[in-house]
Amino acid sequence: MANHKSALKRIRQNEVRKVRNRYYHKTARTAMKVLRNEDDKAAAAEQLPKVISLLDKLAKKNIIHKNKAANLKSKLTKHVNKLA
């Protein structure tokens, strides 16, 4: 266990950030899953900008790497464009 006040504070801060980051990450994963399971092209095209925005926010906050965000956005866009 930490002995310094600053180390105890750091532990508290890390826990809060971990929970918050996990929530953002899980929300984005759920949004991507919903988009991938969408069969209607119009509905998928409507959801795509919202999911891309979520991924950009995650990358900006360093929750996911910027290249991972770019790869996911590319795959989702291809998926939406391939829908009939």
Side-chain angles (χ1 to χ4, degrees), residues 17-30 58 63:
R17 288 179 182 141
K18 182 177 83 171
V19 171
R20 187 182 306 134
N21 289 343
R22 188 186 298 158
Y23 169 76
Y24 288 146
H25 198 180
K26 183 66 175 172
T27 303
R29 286 198 320 234
T30 304
L58 290 182
I63 297 172

Side-chain angles (χ1 to χ4, degrees), residues 18-77:
K18 182 177 83 171
V19 171
R20 187 182 306 134
N21 289 343
R22 188 186 298 158
Y23 169 76
Y24 288 146
H25 198 180
K26 183 66 175 172
T27 303
R29 286 198 320 234
T30 304
M32 286 188 292
K33 185 177 178 182
V34 169
L35 180 60
R36 280 194 204 106
N37 292 333
E38 187 66 55
D39 292 332
D40 183 28
K41 183 168 182 149
E46 185 180 319
Q47 288 178 347
L48 184 63
K50 295 174 186 172
V51 175
I52 286 176
S53 176
L54 279 173
L55 292 172
D56 285 337
K57 287 176 188 173
L58 290 182
K60 185 177 180 184
K61 294 177 183 179
N62 289 324
I63 297 172
I64 62 174
H65 195 272
K66 64 178 184 170
N67 291 352
K68 180 181 174 88
N71 288 336
L72 290 171
K73 290 190 297 187
S74 173
K75 287 178 184 178
L76 290 172
T77 304

Side-chain angles (χ1 to χ4, degrees), residues 1-24:
M1 188 66 203
N3 290 323
H4 295 281
K5 283 182 77 171
S6 60
L8 293 170
K9 181 177 177 181
R10 178 65 55 205
I11 290 169
R12 290 195 309 270
Q13 287 176 330
N14 286 340
E15 183 62 29
V16 169
R17 288 179 182 141
K18 182 177 83 171
V19 171
R20 187 182 306 134
N21 289 343
R22 188 186 298 158
Y23 169 76
Y24 288 146

